[in-house]
Amino acid sequence: MEIFGGFLVILWIAGFFLTIIWFILPFVVFGIKARTDESLARIREIETRLAVIENMLTKVVQERHSGD
């Protein structure tokens, strides 16, 4: 009977930790999702800015070659 009680205590502790993980995990996942969305928005903004700079540099190079 003592073995059965010890086994139940082990199961209770394991269940307790799984319950804690079950309640915390959604907050972690949604926090990561929010940061990922923010990072993607910044990357898109940087990409558009780089495209504008690239176009400006292309125009300058073309003007220099046409002026020679």
Side-chain angles (χ1 to χ4, degrees):
M1 192 66 177
E2 193 172 315
I3 294 173
F4 182 70
F7 183 68
L8 283 179
V9 169
I10 291 172
L11 283 179
W12 184 86
I13 292 171
F16 181 71
F17 284 123
L18 288 175
T19 303
I20 290 173
I21 291 171
W22 182 261
F23 284 122
I24 292 175
L25 195 60
F27 295 106
V28 172
V29 169
F30 288 124
I32 291 172
K33 183 183 179 304
R35 288 183 182 176
T36 304
D37 290 342
E38 182 180 337
S39 296
L40 285 174
R42 286 184 182 179
I43 289 171
R44 286 186 186 125
E45 179 184 343
I46 291 169
E47 187 176 353
T48 55
R49 291 171 66 184
L50 285 174
V52 169
I53 292 171
E54 184 180 3
N55 289 335
M56 289 171 53
L57 286 174
T58 305
K59 288 178 186 178
V60 168
V61 168
Q62 286 176 354
E63 288 174 1
R64 283 193 179 180
H65 286 297
S66 65
D68 288 337

